[in-house]
């Protein structure tokens, strides 16, 4: 799946999933609270259970409840996971304190691998995976329009909201244009060697910049023709949050906090 197709599929999923008509306030509250708990969990050994629970729950909600395409979810998850694995390997091999597990003598130094570095890499992996699942739950089930309405209700400056909406909209446009120009270069044998690739990339970047200026001018003219007065107006008709659902999410958060606190006391021998 190309990048333009992937981003278009993400936007389509936000509008067509089984939870699209649910309250965005409820979904945002769940995603943000789970994200905070996932990131704020202490770093001693048992607490990676909390990010694992959050990852499993968000995955169930995305695939089982929201009915998001599993292939789309996997395509979104695989790239950051690969980068995360490389980062965690780097943490495990080059960071840590205390007594080393093993040491490797090199001509210029001694390379030491520490248990604390390995534990740090494990905690980092599960924390980031849990945080990614929370982020993808919000992105795949809530449209950018609903998110902008929530931000408007908490009095985020209108200028930031309008810029965010326009940037989000034209990410898809410029990805599609970039792919079309790249395909045109390939069909004209513009990528036959390294020098041609470098020249083609420079031409693509220059043309994309010119296209972006032209598109911005056309967009501004079209908005003025439709009565643009400095505000991008959307229909505020999303459903109100279910109070019982908010209470259940709050109880779930309290339960996770109790689990973290119990593991903390157990780890230090208090219980």
């Amino acid at each position: 799946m190309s990048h333009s197709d992937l981003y278009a599929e993400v936007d389509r999923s936000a509008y067509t999933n089984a939870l699209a008509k649910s309250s965005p306030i409820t979904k945002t509250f769940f995603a943000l609270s789970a994200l905070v708990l996932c990131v704020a969990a202490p770093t001693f050994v048992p607490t990676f259970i909390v990010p694992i629970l959050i990852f499993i729950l968000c995955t169930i909600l995305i695939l089982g409840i929201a009915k998001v395409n599993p292939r789309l979810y996997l395509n979104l998850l695989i790239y950051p996971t690969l980068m995360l694995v490389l980062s965690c390997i780097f943490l495990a091999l080059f960071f840590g304190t205390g007594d080393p597990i093993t040491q490797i003598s090199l001509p210029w130094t001694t390379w030491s691998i520490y248990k604390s570095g390995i534990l740090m890499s494990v905690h980092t992996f599960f924390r980031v995976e849990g945080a990614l699942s929370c982020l993808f739950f919000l992105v795949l089930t809530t449209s950018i329009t609903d998110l902008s309405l929530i931000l408007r209700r908490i009095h985020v400056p209108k200028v930031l909201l309008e810029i965010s909406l326009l940037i989000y909209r034209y990410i898809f446009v410029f990805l599609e244009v970039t792919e079309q120009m790249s395909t045109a270069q390939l069909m004209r044998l513009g990528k036959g060697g390294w020098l041609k690739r470098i020249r083609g990339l420079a031409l693509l970047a220059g043309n994309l910049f010119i296209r972006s200026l032209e598109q911005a001018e056309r967009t501004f003219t079209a908005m003025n023709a439709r009565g643009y007065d400095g505000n991008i107006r959307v229909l505020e008709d999303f459903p109100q949050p279910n109070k019982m659902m908010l209470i259940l999410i709050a109880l779930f958060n309290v339960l996770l906090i109790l689990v973290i606190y119990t593991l903390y006391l157990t780890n230090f021998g208090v219980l």
Side-chain angles (χ1 to χ4, degrees), residues 29-46:
F29 175 61
F30 169 76
L32 293 182
S33 59
L35 176 63
V36 170
L37 288 175
C38 185
V39 174
T43 57
F44 54 85
V45 177

Side-chain angles (χ1 to χ4, degrees), residues 67-117:
K67 306 296 182 182
V68 174
N69 187 350
R71 183 167 173 266
L72 171 62
Y73 183 53
L74 181 61
N75 284 330
L76 287 176
L77 197 60
I78 189 169
Y79 295 111
T81 300
L82 290 176
M83 294 299 298
L84 176 60
V85 168
L86 294 176
S87 301
C88 289
I89 292 174
F90 185 81
L91 286 175
L93 296 180
F94 297 101
F95 285 83
T97 57
D99 297 329
I101 297 177
T102 184
Q103 290 182 325
I104 302 174
S105 296
L106 299 175
W108 58 90
T109 186
T110 300
W111 180 15
S112 300
I113 300 177
Y114 300 92
K115 179 180 179 181
S116 59

Side-chain angles (χ1 to χ4, degrees), residues 98-156:
D99 297 329
I101 297 177
T102 184
Q103 290 182 325
I104 302 174
S105 296
L106 299 175
W108 58 90
T109 186
T110 300
W111 180 15
S112 300
I113 300 177
Y114 300 92
K115 179 180 179 181
S116 59
I118 296 176
L119 292 178
M120 182 192 304
S121 66
V122 172
H123 289 303
T124 302
F125 177 82
F126 286 115
R127 279 188 178 189
V128 175
E129 284 295 301
L132 283 174
S133 66
C134 298
L135 174 64
F136 290 149
F137 169 77
L138 186 61
V139 169
L140 293 172
T141 61
T142 310
S143 66
I144 187 64
T145 303
D146 289 342
L147 290 177
S148 67
L149 291 176
I150 294 175
L151 294 176
R152 185 173 297 176
R153 288 194 174 189
I154 61 176
H155 304 291
V156 173

Side-chain angles (χ1 to χ4, degrees), residues 22-31 142 146 150 153 238-241 246 249:
S22 301
S23 171
I25 296 177
T26 303
K27 292 181 286 188
T28 304
F29 175 61
F30 169 76
T142 310
D146 289 342
I150 294 175
R153 288 194 174 189
F238 61 82
Q240 294 301 315
L246 293 176
I249 295 173

Side-chain angles (χ1 to χ4, degrees), residues 43-252:
T43 57
F44 54 85
V45 177
T47 51
F48 60 74
I49 295 174
V50 174
I52 291 175
L53 290 175
I54 292 175
F55 177 82
I56 293 174
L57 178 60
C58 289
T59 301
I60 292 173
L61 290 174
I62 292 171
L63 301 180
I65 306 300
K67 306 296 182 182
V68 174
N69 187 350
R71 183 167 173 266
L72 171 62
Y73 183 53
L74 181 61
N75 284 330
L76 287 176
L77 197 60
I78 189 169
Y79 295 111
T81 300
L82 290 176
M83 294 299 298
L84 176 60
V85 168
L86 294 176
S87 301
C88 289
I89 292 174
F90 185 81
L91 286 175
L93 296 180
F94 297 101
F95 285 83
T97 57
D99 297 329
I101 297 177
T102 184
Q103 290 182 325
I104 302 174
S105 296
L106 299 175
W108 58 90
T109 186
T110 300
W111 180 15
S112 300
I113 300 177
Y114 300 92
K115 179 180 179 181
S116 59
I118 296 176
L119 292 178
M120 182 192 304
S121 66
V122 172
H123 289 303
T124 302
F125 177 82
F126 286 115
R127 279 188 178 189
V128 175
E129 284 295 301
L132 283 174
S133 66
C134 298
L135 174 64
F136 290 149
F137 169 77
L138 186 61
V139 169
L140 293 172
T141 61
T142 310
S143 66
I144 187 64
T145 303
D146 289 342
L147 290 177
S148 67
L149 291 176
I150 294 175
L151 294 176
R152 185 173 297 176
R153 288 194 174 189
I154 61 176
H155 304 291
V156 173
K158 293 182 179 179
V159 174
L160 294 180
L161 290 178
E162 292 181 8
I163 292 175
S164 300
L165 287 172
L166 291 173
I167 289 175
Y168 182 82
R169 170 66 182 88
Y170 285 101
I171 282 175
F172 303 101
V173 175
F174 293 134
L175 280 174
E176 183 177 356
V177 171
T178 302
E179 187 174 359
Q180 291 174 354
M181 289 191 294
S182 179
T183 303
Q185 288 180 349
L186 183 63
M187 296 298 293
R188 291 170 174 81
L189 303 179
K191 298 183 179 181
W194 283 106
L195 292 178
K196 287 186 177 181
R197 287 177 180 271
I198 294 174
R199 182 174 181 273
L201 181 61
L203 291 174
L204 190 148
N207 289 331
L208 185 61
F209 178 73
I210 296 173
R211 289 282 188 91
S212 64
L213 292 178
E214 293 174 350
Q215 184 63 46
E217 185 175 356
R218 287 196 296 266
T219 300
F220 186 70
T221 302
M223 292 173 68
N224 283 333
R226 289 167 174 79
Y228 176 66
D229 60 353
N231 294 316
I232 298 178
R233 305 183 186 278
V234 295
L235 184 63
E236 301 187 21
D237 63 344
F238 61 82
Q240 294 301 315
N242 188 322
K243 293 182 179 179
M244 181 57 65
M245 188 61 64
L246 293 176
I247 292 174
L248 291 176
I249 295 173
L251 291 176
F252 174 74

Side-chain angles (χ1 to χ4, degrees), residues 258-271:
L258 291 176
V259 169
I260 295 173
Y261 184 69
T262 303
L263 292 173
Y264 178 82
L265 295 180
T266 304
N267 184 75
F268 289 96
V270 178
L271 293 178

